[in-house]
Amino acid sequence: MSVASGFQPVPRESTSALITRQLREGIMRGTLPAGAQLSEVSLAAEFGVSRGPLREAMQRLVQEGLVRSELNRGLFVKELDETEIRDLYLTRTAIETAAARAVAHGETVTESLERLRARARAMAEAAAAEDLQALADADFAFHEELVNLAGSPRLHRVHETLMVETRMCLTALQGTYFDPEDQVSEHTRIVEAIAAGDDAAMVREIEEHMQEALDRLVRAAR
Amino acid sequence: MSVASGFQPVPRESTSALITRQLREGIMRGTLPAGAQLSEVSLAAEFGVSRGPLREAMQRLVQEGLVRSELNRGLFVKELDETEIRDLYLTRTAIETAAARAVAHGETVTESLERLRARARAMAEAAAAEDLQALADADFAFHEELVNLAGSPRLHRVHETLMVETRMCLTALQGTYFDPEDQVSEHTRIVEAIAAGDDAAMVREIEEHMQEALDRLVRAAR
DNA sequence: CCCGTGAAGATTGTCAACAATCCGGAGATA
DNA sequence: TATCTCCGGATTGTTGACAATCTTCACGGG
């Protein structure tokens, strides 16, 4: 019975894990806006489960830092002030520079670069088509790809949360205009720095990109 | 009644948070050894609570990555093979280099350096006294201090988990001998690089320190 | 001797009810 | 009018019981 035919272990997931994912999505999309109280009874009813599994999912989000718990009062979607946003981008810089270095020194650099270039191309196309939604999605896809290619479960897990928080910010500022060309070129420069194998340049490009993105965000928020 | 007399908000914590902390401590100290199944009933009995709050605490640890969940089978303390340990140190490097840079560019560099030097001194003293336990503790205190001084809640949260995992490794290898002098000098060099304000050197020293620590660990584990 | 079958025991997953706590407003008092 | 007290409603925190699932081991057939 061992024919080695690439079967993956059945992906069954616990209910709390499923709920966690949906809640995280909701926070990301702004369906659950920052500062909102998460009522246990109403959410449990919405998911069609009892409060037990729902509370377990909540605790996961608390540990993740997306939800704040006030004892005997309730759970609230975490709000991000400017200090928090700066910290968010500081941490993203830490994770993504590490990821870039791992990619640059990895076994499959050429393949990785190909995938990153594809993501960058997708951004350029979205920018050319002036499709801001697609541009934002491609932007996220690029950064997720970068961290995935590093092949580090820890960097990946941390980054996942950071991206949710980032999306939270952008959702809150929906409708604001950012110059597409800047964004595209910043990403292209990152890829080329990785291709060049120049660690210092790589770090510098990512740092500048984060700084730019942070500035855009903070400026728009005022 | 508003005399503004520096009271801090009562630190009341939820039961699941308290349990989480204790479980984490147990994992760290090896009381709950890697790979062990965490029985809900027995643990709940030990804590004197019912299974509800305990399960919530477990979900936090799952999210943190310290515990692995197998559906309908149970929860197990995560095991760290060599690949995992490498990833752990990769991530620690990412977090701690970022922290060091934040400290170096922070407002209170001189004060921060003082505290780091104090930690380094404590290590030197423990090494001189050949107290290996104290040396290990001082080592951890140094790295925790470094990340705390960065003042980043996100770096801090991630790092906390990483340190638990690191301690897990060392607990498993208890009794192994590491050269104290090497450890002390590596930390001193990190502090001095921060003092010199040389970003590149700082990153290099931390990377080398992590590499050394990783090598010591991997060598000892074989 | 090996392998499939099935029941018993143990463990996890889920639920609905109970207890404790908090918030807001009505009423009383100075 | 301002303030204190107390009560009702709502929400969270906790519990014990029930359902579903997995593991183990003995049994019987090939």
Side-chain angles (χ1 to χ4, degrees), chain A residues 51-182:
Chain A
R51 284 173 52 215
L54 187 111
R55 282 176 62 92
E56 290 174 16
M58 294 293 211
Q59 294 302 322
R60 286 200 186 198
L61 295 173
V62 169
Q63 182 61 38
E64 219 176 319
L66 295 175
V67 163
R68 170 176 47 88
S69 159
E70 287 183 30
L71 191 59
N72 285 322
R73 199 163 309 181
L75 297 151
F76 304 84
V77 180
K78 190 139 178 204
E79 301 176 82
L80 295 177
D81 58 11
E82 191 176 319
T83 312
E84 285 281 311
I85 297 178
R86 289 187 182 282
D87 185 49
L88 167 58
Y89 273 83
L90 171 73
T91 312
R92 271 192 64 184
T93 307
I95 299 298
E96 297 197 24
T97 51
R101 302 179 71 156
V103 170
H105 298 118
E107 302 285 317
T108 56
V109 196
T110 52
E111 192 193 325
S112 297
L113 281 169
E114 189 147 344
R115 301 180 76 160
L116 285 175
R117 287 210 178 90
R119 299 291 187 184
R121 262 200 308 279
M123 282 192 69
E125 285 162 16
E130 295 186 6
D131 184 343
L132 291 180
Q133 183 59 51
L135 179 62
D137 288 345
D139 186 353
F140 277 87
F142 177 92
H143 290 280
E144 272 161 21
E145 184 83 71
L146 175 64
V147 176
N148 283 340
L149 289 171
S152 158
R154 282 167 185 76
L155 290 183
H156 178 73
R157 176 172 40 233
V158 175
H159 192 252
E160 208 175 354
T161 304
L162 299 176
M163 290 314 269
V164 173
E165 293 183 292
T166 307
R167 267 209 135 98
M168 258 178 88
C169 294
L170 274 92
T171 307
L173 297 173
Q174 215 161 32
T176 317
Y177 179 81
F178 301 128
D179 185 4
E181 292 309 323
D182 283 357

Side-chain angles (χ1 to χ4, degrees), chain B residues 15 48-53 56 71-73:
Chain B
T15 323
V49 299
S50 85
R51 285 173 51 217
E56 289 173 17
L71 190 59
N72 285 322
R73 198 163 312 180

